[in-house]
Amino acid sequence: MKKLFNSADRMVDDMIDGFVAAFPDIVARGVHSRVVRRASPRPADRKVSLLIGNGSGHEPIAMGFVGPGVLDANVVGDVFTAPPPELILQGITDVTGAAGSILLISRHEGDVINGNGAVMLAEDEGLKVRPLLMYDDVSSAPKGEEDQRRGAPGTMFIYKILGAAAETGMPLEPLVALGEEVRARTRTLAAAVAPGISPLTGAPMFDLPDDEIFIGMGVHGEPGVGRHKVGPLRDLVGHMVEVILADRPIQSGTPTVILVNGAGGTTLMELLTVYREVGTILDARGVPHSSPMVGTFVTTQEMGGFSISLLTPSDEMLQFWRAPSTTPYFPAIHGA
Amino acid sequence: MKKLFNSADRMVDDMIDGFVAAFPDIVARGVHSRVVRRASPRPADRKVSLLIGNGSGHEPIAMGFVGPGVLDANVVGDVFTAPPPELILQGITDVTGAAGSILLISRHEGDVINGNGAVMLAEDEGLKVRPLLMYDDVSSAPKGEEDQRRGAPGTMFIYKILGAAAETGMPLEPLVALGEEVRARTRTLAAAVAPGISPLTGAPMFDLPDDEIFIGMGVHGEPGVGRHKVGPLRDLVGHMVEVILADRPIQSGTPTVILVNGAGGTTLMELLTVYREVGTILDARGVPHSSPMVGTFVTTQEMGGFSISLLTPSDEMLQFWRAPSTTPYFPAIHGA
């Protein structure tokens, strides 16, 4: 296996070692070595804390987004494995003060079970913590069953908007409501063109015919909704945007944010071309769009592919989306 | 070929369309559609302009680094092909005022010939422009023949440090001298573990045995200096740092900056682990290091691999390295 590690049992801890050493002004280990938290936390009695537990192997999400303006902590699980409830509890304990905290949970089975378990344990200890389920992948459950869908890269809208809102001192309940509203306004659809190599097995994570693209595959290779023949990108993107807008129509004149995420092995040249095609479609429909995010942020190792997420933000959401942040890997969002 | 394009003859222009549409506050097309320049240039009569021409296919470098604090313009060639002199001249003409400009040239044959040609054409038109050759790859020519080496990801130190210095109003000749001094203090060595797929041919760009890693390969697959058997990352990194330090020793106590660049398909988990190993070696030698850059910035499509660059900056260089910048893809450099 040509992955660049020292050993399978150290890969996650070596990565965290490198991460906290590289960015000591921003991040530090928590009490438990698998918790990454802000190096200079804001007083948790006056600011609601945001954290997430997730399996590693998808970096820079979520560890890379810890810092002022986004997350307060990330609980780092093994590769592709949700951290256990007791470990998530360590993260909650580290960052929860009188203002309370929100545990973001990207809706995948292990994350939901372990996240809810951790919230129960934390409540038993008298901590004020609220779970917020995140789901945005239109391919994983039908319209009307949105709460059965998977978390996908559109969850980054929630990280950033709640992160900026929490910095302003917004209390716990309005923050949860804001997160639910961002979720309601976000839809994502992904396409996979080539498998990533699992660092656990050294093998490709799925098989894909040479002339086919999977539509709707999840971030761990979960099955999607269909296949598409390889052809001009314009056709693929047109189909994907149609599926997203069929699920949640966007009226002409409604401000929209486009997020194009690369799965790992897809070049920025391709991602910018995807963005161009999405923008052209929205332009033709009279949908104004600004402040996009285009790059490789939620990965499945070196998987080839991308996702398109659309958010129709309120004015307040757009302001939070564009607010400055200081984390190792969340990009600056531009646009006035 | 599973690259996500509309057509081979439009791939570069489609990418630029997407790029300038995504970041309209920062970048715009120049007079020629293959020139990307700042949307709000500083007066070129008071500020020296920095630009570079290069083949595309390596994004985010260099197009992604246009903006306040780094580059004034990028002349975008075809994939893996230096732009012709006449096109580079268009970029020079766009951004050169009374303060003059510097054409950065990453030392590859086509870039050198076309860049020097463009400088001659610009001088014929009365423009004040100086070429600055960049070379940092220790594997491409022996010690003593540094000026025969290739440009490699360590050139990003020059982009950023000169970019920040130019913003302060530093005149042309001192800027060129500063660039030469950064160059003298930078060394890079790369390792390749898997080929990228050429978007021009659809084929892998080189062959590599399953259990071997190439040391010193260039950003277009140019041959390197040796092979290394796959094994613990620590051994590979130890060997690479040894080669770099044999070429240019760093004394204990000398402040150093580490740059770990991913070639495209190598995960951030791996790159952070590389950083950890380099840092551990420097720690053991009593070499203090700070403000690293770790991520995927100079790519060869989805090639697997990475490079290690070391810079021993002066106090002034370190300050410029850490200065804020506002470009679509140059990261914030942290560390006090």
Side-chain angles (χ1 to χ4, degrees):
Chain A
M1 177 179 64
K2 278 200 189 167
K3 294 273 183 173
L4 300 162
F5 297 119
N6 287 313
S7 66
D9 62 325
R10 282 286 310 169
M11 60 173 72
V12 176
D13 299 289
D14 281 357
M15 168 183 73
I16 299 174
D17 280 353
F19 183 68
V20 298
F23 305 104
D25 297 349
I26 309 177
V27 293
R29 277 199 155 98
V31 175
H32 190 287
S33 69
R34 285 291 188 91
V35 175
V36 172
R37 56 172 292 174
R38 296 190 191 184
S40 303
R42 289 194 55 191
D45 291 342
R46 295 206 297 275
K47 177 194 170 294
V48 174
S49 293
L50 291 185
L51 76 161
I52 187 165
N54 67 308
S56 54
H58 304 290
E59 290 70 27
I61 204 172
M63 191 179 71
F65 302 160
V66 174
V70 194
L71 297 176
D72 291 271
N74 176 221
V75 180
V76 183
D78 287 334
V79 173
F80 302 155
T81 305
E86 297 73 18
L87 179 53
I88 300 174
L89 175 65
Q90 298 268 357
I92 295 172
T93 306
D94 263 14
V95 299
T96 305
S101 62
I102 297 175
L103 178 67
L104 302 173
I105 302 174
S106 181
R107 209 186 152 287
H108 293 89
E109 191 174 349
D111 293 291
V112 173
I113 294 170
N114 293 1
N116 285 331
V119 168
M120 286 174 56
L121 293 171
E123 288 173 340
D124 286 349
E125 297 195 3
L127 296 170
K128 192 163 92 179
V129 56
R130 291 283 306 271
L132 179 65
L133 277 181
M134 304 189 296
Y135 40 80
D136 55 318
D137 178 359
V138 300
S139 75
S140 49
K143 194 168 161 67
E145 298 176 26
E146 285 79 4
D147 63 357
Q148 298 303 307
R149 290 175 171 175
R150 288 188 296 255
T155 57
M156 288 189 290
F157 286 129
I158 294 181
Y159 287 37
K160 180 59 170 61
I161 291 169
L162 289 201
E167 298 289 342
T168 69
M170 188 182 284
L172 186 57
E173 295 307 327
L175 268 178
V176 171
L178 178 63
E180 290 170 346
E181 185 59 24
V182 174
R183 181 179 69 196
R185 292 166 176 246
T186 301
R187 294 293 185 278
T188 296
L189 184 61
V193 304
I197 308 294
S198 167
L200 304 174
T201 66
M205 295 171 68
F206 54 86
D207 288 318
L208 192 52
D210 274 351
D211 63 342
E212 289 193 348
I213 293 171
F214 283 161
I215 308 285
M217 176 167 286
V219 295
H220 310 91
E222 296 93 338
V225 290
R227 295 172 170 206
H228 199 89
K229 285 287 174 195
V230 171
L233 180 63
R234 186 172 295 123
D235 298 347
L236 174 65
V237 171
H239 170 68
M240 291 170 69
V241 172
E242 202 172 282
V243 171
I244 293 172
L245 293 180
D247 193 82
R248 183 167 185 273
I250 298 178
Q251 301 307 319
S252 163
T254 306
T256 297
V257 176
I258 300 169
L259 191 170
V260 176
N261 179 69
T266 289
T267 65
L268 185 58
M269 179 181 266
E270 293 164 282
L271 300 177
L272 287 166
T273 308
V274 171
Y275 168 76
R276 174 190 187 273
E277 297 305 328
V278 177
T280 300
I281 293 168
L282 295 190
D283 290 344
R285 290 170 171 256
V287 173
H289 51 97
S290 65
S291 299
M293 184 174 180
V294 184
T296 300
F297 303 107
V298 184
T299 65
T300 304
Q301 299 294 303
E302 61 283 268
M303 183 165 107
F306 67 92
S307 61
I308 300 166
S309 303
L310 297 180
L311 166 71
T312 56
S314 67
D315 290 348
E316 180 190 47
M317 289 174 195
L318 191 56
Q319 189 178 325
F320 288 137
W321 175 242
R322 291 170 174 166
S325 63
T326 308
T327 77
Y329 290 102
F330 203 97
I333 303 295
H334 302 286
Chain B
M1 178 179 65
K2 278 200 190 169
K3 294 273 183 174
L4 301 162
F5 297 119
N6 287 313
S7 66
D9 62 324
R10 281 287 311 168
M11 61 173 72
V12 176
D13 299 289
D14 281 357
M15 167 183 73
I16 298 174
D17 281 352
F19 183 68
V20 299
F23 305 104
D25 297 348
I26 308 178
V27 293
R29 277 199 154 98
V31 175
H32 190 289
S33 70
R34 283 290 187 90
V35 175
V36 172
R37 57 172 292 173
R38 295 190 192 184
S40 304
R42 289 194 54 192
D45 291 342
R46 295 205 297 274
K47 177 194 171 292
V48 174
S49 293
L50 291 185
L51 76 161
I52 187 165
N54 66 308
S56 54
H58 304 291
E59 290 71 27
I61 204 172
M63 192 181 70
F65 302 159
V66 174
V70 194
L71 296 176
D72 292 272
N74 176 221
V75 180
V76 183
D78 288 333
V79 174
F80 302 156
T81 305
E86 297 72 20
L87 178 55
I88 300 175
L89 175 65
Q90 297 267 357
I92 295 172
T93 306
D94 262 13
V95 299
T96 305
S101 63
I102 297 175
L103 177 67
L104 302 173
I105 302 174
S106 181
R107 211 189 149 286
H108 293 89
E109 192 174 349
D111 294 289
V112 174
I113 293 170
N114 293 1
N116 285 331
V119 168
M120 286 174 56
L121 294 172
E123 288 173 339
D124 285 350
E125 297 196 2
L127 296 169
K128 192 163 91 179
V129 56
R130 291 283 307 271
L132 178 65
L133 278 181
M134 304 189 294
Y135 39 82
D136 55 317
D137 178 359
V138 300
S139 76
S140 49
K143 195 168 160 66
E145 298 176 26
E146 285 79 5
D147 63 357
Q148 299 303 307
R149 291 175 171 175
R150 288 189 294 255
T155 57
M156 287 190 290
F157 286 130
I158 295 181
Y159 287 36
K160 179 59 170 61
I161 290 168
L162 288 201
E167 298 288 343
T168 69
M170 188 181 284
L172 186 57
E173 294 307 326
L175 267 179
V176 171
L178 177 63
E180 290 170 345
E181 184 60 23
V182 174
R183 181 178 69 196
R185 293 166 176 244
T186 301
R187 294 293 185 278
T188 296
L189 185 61
V193 303
I197 308 295
S198 167
L200 305 174
T201 65
M205 295 171 67
F206 54 86
D207 289 316
L208 193 51
D210 274 351
D211 63 340
E212 289 193 348
I213 293 171
F214 283 161
I215 308 285
M217 177 167 285
V219 295
H220 312 90
E222 297 92 337
V225 291
R227 294 172 170 207
H228 199 88
K229 286 285 173 194
V230 171
L233 179 64
R234 186 172 295 123
D235 298 347
L236 173 66
V237 170
H239 170 69
M240 291 171 69
V241 173
E242 203 171 280
V243 171
I244 293 172
L245 293 180
D247 193 82
R248 183 167 185 272
I250 297 176
Q251 302 306 318
S252 161
T254 306
T256 297
V257 176
I258 301 169
L259 191 170
V260 175
N261 180 69
T266 289
T267 64
L268 185 58
M269 179 181 266
E270 293 163 282
L271 300 177
L272 287 166
T273 309
V274 171
Y275 168 77
R276 174 190 188 272
E277 298 305 327
V278 178
T280 300
I281 294 168
L282 295 189
D283 290 345
R285 289 170 170 256
V287 172
H289 52 96
S290 65
S291 299
M293 184 173 179
V294 184
T296 299
F297 304 106
V298 184
T299 65
T300 304
Q301 299 294 303
E302 62 283 269
M303 183 165 106
F306 66 93
S307 60
I308 299 167
S309 303
L310 296 180
L311 165 72
T312 57
S314 67
D315 291 347
E316 182 189 45
M317 290 173 194
L318 191 55
Q319 189 180 325
F320 288 138
W321 175 243
R322 291 170 175 166
S325 63
T326 308
T327 78
Y329 291 102
F330 204 97
I333 303 294
H334 303 286

